Amino acid sequence: ELANRLHDSVLQTLVVMESEAGNEKRVRSLARKQTRELRLMVQGSEPIGADSLGAAIEGAAASVSELFGVEVSTVCRSDTEASESLLVLVSAAKEAMVNAARHSGADTIHVYSISEDGLVAIFVRDDGVGFDVDTVDRGRGLDHSIRERVEALGGDVCIESEPGEGTEVKVSLQKKEVSSR
């Protein structure tokens, strides 16, 4: 889990900082942001606003938008109180947002979440370049940061994409204890 969290925050920020090395103001801003995130991680704290599924998704979307300069729109159809497993689900969805921001070429990433009848599902969609799901090198992002995290919780991951048609990643978790707001 620590490796996943470091991948999701520190390593992604360092990649962006390297690509924008000539923009001192942006690099300093990213360094300050990453310092705050690392402090929270070391203290064992979650980011502020992670008290509900919707707030956690909003925080993840804002982070991706700030880091990559892409618009991330969110819709939370029904909300629920955050739990450790739901925050892991949000982390997997955030990785899908990052992948879309880095690889899709889309101007906007759409995130839709729902918590109903004991099922929590988060959909991350883009209308970018897409890819062949069967032949892509899934690497750390798709397999470790998304699939392994969600499946370790007993959840499901569905990735649908076609070259030229965009991508949709759905992460979901069936929980008997989930209550909607």
Side-chain angles (χ1 to χ4, degrees):
E1 182 57 26
L2 178 60
N4 283 333
R5 289 185 73 185
L6 288 171
H7 170 267
D8 291 352
S9 63
V10 178
L11 293 177
Q12 290 172 350
T13 302
L14 289 173
V15 166
V16 173
M17 289 171 71
E18 180 180 29
S19 70
E20 298 195 21
N23 185 343
E24 183 180 344
K25 184 177 180 181
R26 173 90 165 122
V27 169
R28 286 180 182 274
S29 173
L30 290 171
R32 284 190 302 273
K33 176 185 175 292
Q34 190 56 69
T35 300
R36 286 190 302 273
E37 284 184 27
L38 276 172
R39 281 193 183 115
L40 287 172
M41 192 182 305
V42 168
Q43 295 167 356
S45 303
E46 290 299 327
I48 296 171
D51 61 337
S52 73
L53 175 67
I57 291 170
E58 283 290 333
S63 175
V64 171
S65 182
E66 178 184 0
L67 188 59
F68 293 96
V70 64
E71 182 180 344
V72 183
S73 72
T74 62
V75 173
C76 182
R77 180 162 169 220
S78 54
D79 207 356
T80 188
E81 186 175 316
S83 66
E84 187 174 323
S85 60
L86 290 186
L87 293 176
V88 171
L89 197 68
V90 171
S91 294
K94 180 181 178 187
E95 180 64 20
M97 292 178 227
V98 166
N99 286 346
R102 289 181 67 196
H103 304 295
S104 76
D107 294 326
T108 304
I109 300 163
H110 303 278
V111 182
Y112 174 81
S113 65
I114 186 167
S115 172
E116 284 186 349
D117 301 325
L119 176 71
V120 176
I122 306 170
F123 300 82
V124 178
R125 297 180 182 126
D126 69 68
D127 59 359
V129 298
F131 60 93
D132 183 342
V133 175
D134 296 324
T135 62
V136 71
D137 176 20
R138 296 187 336 189
R140 177 130 192 102
L142 288 176
D143 277 339
H144 297 290
S145 290
I146 298 176
R147 192 171 301 283
E148 286 180 10
R149 279 181 172 174
V150 175
E151 291 175 354
L153 297 170
D156 294 308
V157 175
C158 179
I159 301 170
E160 295 181 6
S161 186
E162 297 271 338
E165 299 294 323
T167 301
E168 177 179 274
V169 176
K170 174 188 173 191
V171 294
S172 61
L173 180 63
Q174 188 71 41
K175 288 188 59 172
K176 292 178 171 83
E177 312 298 314
V178 172
S179 61
S180 297
R181 287 186 189 177

